[in-house]
Amino acid sequence: MKLRANAPVELLYRGGQDLDIIESSNMRGLLAGVHRNYVFLAPLFAIALLYQITYTVEVMRVQAQGTRVPTLPFTTAGSSVDAVSKEAAAAGLHSGDRILAVNGIEAAGDRDLHEAVRNGRPHDLITLTVVPKGQSASRSLRVPLAAHDSKPPTIEGWALAIILSLAMLLCTVLGVYAAAVRPHDARALFFFGLMLATSQMITAIGPYDFPHSLWALAFVYHLAVVLGWGLWLILFGLYFPERFNWDIKRPWIKFIFVGPYALWVALVVIDASSSYWHYRAFETLDRNIDIPLLNVTLIFALSVTFFCTALGFKVGTTTNRDSRRRVRILLAGSAVGLIPVGCLILYNVLTKQNSFSQSSEALVIVIALLFCVFPGTLAYVVVTERAMELRMVIRQGVRYALARGGLRVLISVAGGLVIAGVNIVVFGSRLNAQSKYIIVGIAILGIVLLVRRTRKQTLQWVDRRFFREAYNSEQLLEELSESVRSMVDEERMLETVARRISESLHVSKFAVLLNEDRAFRPVYCLGFESSPRLSLPSESKVIEVVKQASEPRQIYFDRQDNWIHSASETELITLREMHAQLLLPVGSKDKLLGILSLGPKLSEEPYSRSDVRLLRSVALHTGLAIENSRLTKAVATEIAQREKMNREMEIAREVQERLFPQRLPAIAGIDYSGACRPALGVGGDYYDFLPLQDGDLGIAIGDVSGKGIAAALLMASLQASLRGQALMGQGDLARLMVNVNQLVYDATPSNRYATFFYGQYHRETRIFRFVNAGHNPPIVLRRTQNGTIHVIRLETGGPVVGLFPNTPYQEGSLTMEPGDLFVGFTDGISEAMNMQDEEWGEERLIPAAAAFASQSASEIIPSLMAEADRFASGAPQHDDMTLVVLKMSGSNVQ
């Protein structure tokens, strides 16, 4: 439906839907029209509710104080007496007498008569000045006031008054509600007027029983509203569920009979109101307009006939299923609610009775309860988005009543009858009083237990007996909601959800959309083919609405006031191709994982509250199942990756361990050993012992930047470079380090480097030549002749290897003496930290090494690591720890 700019707003109803806006200048104009309607309706709402609530309160007051509430002992027709009570007749008042004054005050209208009654009591005498019929002279009479009720109220009378008052209040509330939620809908406005008129059809008190300040309002409101009942019924029949074609083409035709009716109502209100303010006012109207009860009844009967005929014609001619469902429901509700009332009114008219005898109150109570079906049905067909089949409406009503305590009421009534019977039997027996009360108490307890135990079973029996198909659907959805939680296979789970929902609700079009790459795309479709263009972006209006909505969102493309028309054209195309009518969010907590899109049912019925409730449960458990499935997959993938990584790490660790010296050749005059403890499975620290010619020994220790496998690979490259250069017999260690640096530089990324120390010990000369490439300087502990420990740091060399090309290095040398202790280490040893982030440092390493100098080289290493661990006090190892120890034979450093 397209909107033309600058076109007038025309309110129509088409296709069984609520009123559509056929043409509108823009949405702002529509909202302005709605606001104008509220400005007009708000005072009517206030007046209607004020009247009806006050009426209900006053009915209760009069019912409670009926014998003490005064009233006139006669009725009037203008200024003349119409009918009189026995007491008034005995006082000399007769039909046809014209009233001039009451208690010495001129009686200009009915208001003055009732002013005299307002402050009186039953049987008080009032003074009337009257002109007897057929005479010209006036006379005074003392007439006693009557009581509103001649007898105290009975239980049946109380029940009837309460039920009738609440039924009329229900009509008013439903009318106000419908007009408030659909102020732009002509059908809702006609329904509002019809309900106000219906609330005045049966009254227990008159306008003068209201508070004095509301007399005028009550008099005019009641008269104007009740006479308009037939008018609203005709208009509602014209517009519901859709207008007649002749009315759309020639709307002026209806005014041929609606106009005179409205004029008749206005004239009758004016005529009747004249007696309230002044008897002599509008005398011309009084003489010419006199509508007896039979004529009013006839007009109402003709209105009902037109209403039923119009609905019967529409149910047979409309092609829209929703419209037919609405009409069927309304006809059924009207038959249940109005036929008993009509029969009662017809009986009253034919027998010329103005009230019902005491013996008929039970019948009137039943009729009043049945009447409540009529306004409830009207409200349903006006306000509901989509009408259900009549059997489903009945089912929902029965279920609601049972679920909300209606069953308890029914069982309680039955229980009350049982208890009453028990009372009659027990208290008529010869048992003592205590036994009687015990038996009655047991009966009451049994009834209470019966109510509690039979409610659920009765509900299930009603479903199975009368609504087998719907019951089976609910059972299927409940079972699906339970079973879907245990499904781990996402694809099989989505297929099961789609198939079971389709089977249980008879939905031929179904789609599951999941969030993939910032867009929701169908991953499973039923009833139509999916295509790549079917997607809803994560930032789209539809996704935003579904996220924020607390309830599943229903889609009606044929209604311009539906939320879906705020979406973009691309979104509308996607939803139309999916035949979406109901969107259910699938998510976990605040995260929207996907959407379940349900098309229309094959019967075109709307989704009921029960459907939506069960589908929400299915969607919730589907979201949890998707989360569990994805979590299970993620855990399985993570486990597989970790197992693979662990296998690779284990292999790398084994390879790295093979790179470290596997055996230590014996070298005369020295004791040496080395060890590495990686922070991870593999590390970047490196140490090596290289057997050289003539019994010489090469000693290497290094620390590659980084940790893990990457560092281990660089360490392997460093070892290969060193061994290649050393085995070539390179005697110049400075040149050897230049070559190693270049090889590492060429083989590694620019951000990779290593600190490195390499030295060669010559057995014959005991000279230790070395080059330090940016590594922690190894220390040599030497005891002097005076017993002190001299610390020698081997620092000569150059920068780290692998960072700069063509870097020069210098060679250093040291003559080792008997008893010297060489300790090479990486920063994982010297920088071992405790819980307070304090480093162990060389100031603690050197005394510890001196303390363990008497031990063998292989014993010194674990002793030093234990000292470092003792200092760390359980703090995690953050770096690889490597030690190389060489001990010269001779006097010990101690």
Side-chain angles (χ1 to χ4, degrees):
M1 184 182 301
K2 296 184 179 178
L3 303 181
R4 296 205 306 265
N6 302 321
V9 175
E10 182 182 6
L11 300 180
L12 298 176
Y13 178 79
R14 288 185 178 176
Q17 307 306 314
D18 288 340
L19 203 64
D20 287 341
I21 300 174
I22 301 304
E23 294 177 343
S24 176
S25 57
N26 49 41
M27 185 58 70
R28 184 176 299 177
L30 169 62
L31 294 177
V34 172
H35 292 159
R36 286 194 298 270
N37 283 357
Y38 276 129
V39 171
F40 168 73
L41 290 171
L44 295 181
F45 293 163
I47 293 172
L49 292 174
L50 173 63
Y51 175 92
Q52 205 60 47
I53 292 173
T54 305
Y55 171 85
T56 304
V57 173
E58 291 303 315
V59 166
M60 298 298 104
R61 179 183 68 84
V62 171
Q63 189 68 22
Q65 305 174 1
T67 57
R68 301 192 301 274
V69 177
T71 187
L72 289 173
F74 56 87
T75 61
T76 61
S79 60
S80 300
V81 176
D82 185 19
V84 297
S85 66
K86 294 180 180 179
E87 292 79 5
L93 187 66
H94 303 286
S95 176
D97 293 352
R98 186 162 56 89
I99 300 174
L100 300 180
V102 56
N103 290 337
I105 300 174
E106 180 186 4
D110 285 347
R111 179 180 55 182
D112 299 321
L113 292 177
H114 288 275
E115 284 282 1
V117 177
R118 185 165 64 94
N119 297 319
R121 293 177 297 178
H123 310 299
D124 286 354
L125 298 176
I126 60 173
T127 302
L128 295 178
T129 302
V130 301
V131 176
K133 183 178 181 181
Q135 301 180 18
S136 58
S138 62
R139 62 172 181 160
S140 296
L141 302 174
R142 298 277 288 174
V143 179
L145 293 176
H148 197 283
D149 292 325
S150 59
K151 298 179 181 179
T154 63
I155 295 178
E156 293 83 358
W158 266 104
L160 178 60
I162 293 173
I163 291 174
L164 288 177
S165 300
L166 293 181
M168 299 304 105
L169 180 61
L170 173 67
C171 291
T172 303
V173 171
L174 288 177
V176 170
Y177 169 75
V181 298
R182 298 192 182 279
H184 60 285
D185 188 342
R187 296 175 310 131
L189 300 181
F190 298 153
F191 171 72
F192 172 55
L194 182 61
M195 287 297 98
L196 296 190
T198 303
S199 69
Q200 302 303 304
M201 297 295 288
I202 303 175
T203 56
I205 60 175
Y208 300 108
D209 293 310
F210 277 64
H212 182 258
S213 59
L214 297 179
W215 278 7
L217 173 67
F219 188 90
V220 175
Y221 175 86
H222 169 74
L223 197 60
V225 168
V226 73
L227 290 177
W229 188 79
L231 177 63
W232 298 121
L233 196 64
I234 291 173
L235 290 173
F236 191 82
L238 282 172
Y239 276 75
F240 179 85
E242 53 193 23
R243 293 175 66 178
F244 286 107
N245 289 332
W246 60 263
D247 186 41
I248 296 174
K249 296 176 180 178
R250 299 177 181 85
W252 54 268
I253 294 179
K254 61 176 171 288
F255 293 105
I256 295 176
F257 51 91
V258 171
Y261 191 119
L263 179 61
W264 173 79
V265 171
L267 291 176
V268 171
V269 171
I270 294 173
D271 176 65
S273 300
S274 65
S275 64
Y276 176 81
W277 279 280
H278 207 289
Y279 290 134
R280 289 185 294 277
F282 308 106
E283 291 181 355
T284 303
L285 291 174
D286 281 338
R287 288 193 298 270
N288 293 282
I289 302 179
D290 186 13
I291 309 297
L293 175 63
L294 181 60
N295 289 350
V296 175
T297 304
L298 178 61
I299 291 174
F300 284 177
L302 292 175
S303 301
V304 172
T305 302
F306 174 84
F307 174 75
C308 295
T309 303
L311 292 185
F313 178 80
K314 289 178 180 179
V315 77
T317 58
T318 183
T319 59
N320 185 275
R321 292 186 179 181
D322 184 69
S323 296
R324 288 201 298 270
R325 287 195 294 267
R326 290 176 190 269
V327 175
R328 290 194 189 103
I329 293 170
L330 182 55
L331 286 175
S334 300
V336 173
L338 294 183
I339 289 178
V341 175
C343 293
L344 193 61
I345 293 175
L346 182 61
Y347 171 79
N348 240 15
V349 172
L350 296 177
T351 58
K352 297 182 179 180
Q353 294 185 15
N354 294 323
S355 61
F356 304 107
S357 64
Q358 188 75 16
S359 60
S360 65
E361 286 178 342
L363 175 63
V364 177
I365 290 175
V366 175
I367 293 175
L369 291 174
L370 291 175
F371 169 79
C372 293
V373 176
F374 174 66
T377 303
L378 275 175
Y380 171 77
V381 297
V382 169
V383 176
T384 188
E385 297 282 358
R386 287 288 191 276
M388 295 183 289
E389 286 289 352
L390 179 60
R391 59 184 177 81
M392 292 301 297
V393 174
I394 297 173
R395 176 178 185 267
Q396 292 295 327
V398 172
R399 287 185 62 86
Y400 185 83
L402 295 177
R404 296 296 180 182
L407 177 63
R408 294 182 181 180
V409 173
L410 295 176
I411 295 180
S412 297
V413 171
L417 297 176
V418 173
I419 292 173
V422 172
N423 273 323
I424 294 173
V425 174
V426 172
F427 283 91
S429 66
R430 297 182 180 181
L431 297 173
N432 57 47
Q434 184 177 4
S435 299
K436 294 177 181 179
Y437 286 120
I438 291 174
I439 293 174
V440 173
I442 293 174
I444 294 174
L445 180 61
I447 294 299
V448 172
L449 294 176
L450 179 64
V451 170
R452 296 180 63 88
R453 292 180 62 87
T454 59
R455 176 176 171 272
K456 184 176 181 180
Q457 290 82 349
T458 304
L459 183 63
Q460 292 178 349
W461 178 83
V462 169
D463 277 343
R464 288 194 300 267
R465 179 65 180 83
F466 300 102
F467 311 103
R468 167 62 64 179
E469 182 179 352
Y471 176 76
N472 291 340
S473 297
E474 290 193 3
Q475 290 295 106
L476 285 172
L477 289 179
E478 288 178 356
E479 292 173 4
L480 174 61
S481 179
E482 291 296 323
S483 63
V484 76
R485 292 184 298 180
S486 60
M487 296 184 183
V488 177
D489 187 338
E490 183 175 311
E491 183 177 352
R492 186 174 68 87
M493 180 265 297
L494 295 177
E495 181 182 355
T496 301
V497 169
R499 179 172 48 79
R500 296 289 288 277
I501 289 178
S502 176
E503 292 174 356
S504 59
L505 297 178
H506 304 292
V507 177
S508 59
K509 305 293 190 298
F510 186 93
V512 181
L513 293 82
L514 296 182
N515 191 359
E516 297 177 352
D517 298 330
R518 300 184 61 81
F520 288 78
R521 295 183 173 85
V523 296
Y524 185 85
C525 298
L526 183 66
F528 64 94
E529 293 293 332
S530 179
S531 64
R533 69 175 181 276
L534 294 182
S535 66
L536 295 171
S538 300
E539 298 79 14
S540 64
K541 181 66 176 179
V542 172
I543 300 302
E544 178 185 351
V545 170
V546 173
K547 279 183 180 179
Q548 296 177 355
S550 57
E551 294 287 334
R553 298 312 302 258
Q554 301 210 32
I555 297 174
Y556 301 118
F557 294 107
D558 51 357
R559 285 190 50 184
Q560 288 295 325
D561 58 347
N562 190 252
W563 67 272
I564 194 60
H565 293 287
S566 62
S568 66
E569 189 65 27
T570 304
E571 297 172 63
L572 290 175
I573 292 174
T574 298
L575 293 174
R576 287 182 187 276
E577 290 194 20
M578 293 193 303
H579 307 273
Q581 184 172 320
L582 183 68
L583 298 180
L584 292 125
V586 175
S588 177
K589 297 181 180 179
D590 298 330
K591 184 179 180 181
L592 184 65
L593 301 175
I595 297 174
L596 298 184
S597 170
L598 280 73
K601 294 183 179 181
L602 294 178
S603 63
E604 294 189 5
E605 294 180 19
Y607 290 95
S608 65
R609 289 185 180 179
S610 178
D611 294 338
V612 172
R613 175 180 59 82
L614 292 170
L615 288 170
R616 286 182 63 187
S617 177
V618 172
L620 174 63
H621 290 116
T622 300
L624 295 175
I626 292 175
E627 280 279 271
N628 291 338
S629 174
R630 293 181 176 179
L631 181 61
T632 302
K633 287 182 179 178
V635 170
T637 302
E638 179 69 18
I639 292 174
Q641 290 178 346
R642 288 190 178 184
E643 289 180 352
K644 181 180 179 181
M645 185 178 296
N646 290 337
R647 288 196 299 270
E648 293 176 350
M649 190 72 71
E650 182 66 22
I651 294 172
R653 187 181 63 80
E654 292 176 359
V655 170
Q656 188 177 43
E657 287 182 354
R658 298 294 299 176
L659 294 177
F660 291 130
Q662 299 301 303
R663 59 185 185 86
L664 303 179
I667 305 295
I670 61 173
D671 177 21
Y672 63 98
S673 184
C676 174
R677 189 173 76 185
L680 302 175
V682 293
D685 280 9
Y686 164 60
Y687 78 94
D688 203 356
F689 297 112
L690 284 72
L692 302 176
Q693 296 178 355
D694 301 327
D696 296 343
L697 179 67
I699 300 175
I701 186 170
D703 187 356
V704 176
S705 62
K707 301 177 183 67
I709 294 179
L713 292 174
L714 180 53
M715 185 268 282
S717 176
L718 177 61
Q719 185 201 46
S721 301
L722 173 65
R723 284 184 171 257
Q725 293 295 314
L727 294 177
M728 288 174 60
Q730 181 63 259
D732 184 354
L733 298 188
R735 185 60 191 172
L736 179 147
M737 192 62 74
V738 169
N739 294 339
V740 169
N741 173 68
Q742 192 63 39
L743 291 171
V744 175
Y745 177 84
D746 293 339
T748 58
S750 59
N751 62 341
R752 290 293 183 177
Y753 63 90
T755 65
F756 187 53
F757 176 91
Y758 179 68
Q760 290 183 353
Y761 173 72
H762 297 275
R763 180 176 58 82
E764 293 183 354
T765 62
R766 291 189 299 174
I767 295 176
F768 186 66
R769 297 184 300 124
F770 62 90
V771 176
N772 190 336
H775 192 72
N776 301 81
I779 58 175
V780 175
L781 302 182
R782 177 175 295 172
R783 179 175 291 278
T784 61
Q785 293 182 353
N786 58 8
T788 60
I789 301 297
H790 179 52
V791 179
I792 304 171
R793 288 182 170 82
L794 308 183
E795 299 175 335
T796 305
V800 297
V801 296
L803 192 59
F804 306 106
N806 304 318
T807 302
Y809 291 90
Q810 294 180 353
E811 178 184 307
S813 65
L814 174 69
T815 302
M816 303 294 289
E817 297 183 0
D820 285 353
L821 180 65
F822 171 92
V823 180
F825 57 91
T826 58
D827 55 6
I829 294 291
S830 59
E831 296 176 4
M833 291 185 178
N834 60 14
M835 292 294 186
Q836 290 74 39
D837 290 340
E838 297 174 339
E839 293 184 356
W840 192 37
E842 292 185 17
E843 65 274 12
R844 293 185 178 88
L845 170 62
I846 293 173
F852 299 130
S854 61
Q855 298 178 356
S856 65
S858 60
E859 294 173 336
I860 292 175
I861 291 176
S863 298
L864 290 176
M865 286 196 176
E867 282 296 310
D869 292 340
R870 188 176 298 111
F871 174 80
S873 300
Q877 179 182 341
H878 67 278
D879 200 359
D880 303 334
M881 301 174 69
T882 302
L883 281 170
V884 172
V885 174
L886 185 146
K887 184 177 180 182
M888 299 296 295
S889 300
S891 301
N892 291 333
V893 178
Q894 52 183 350

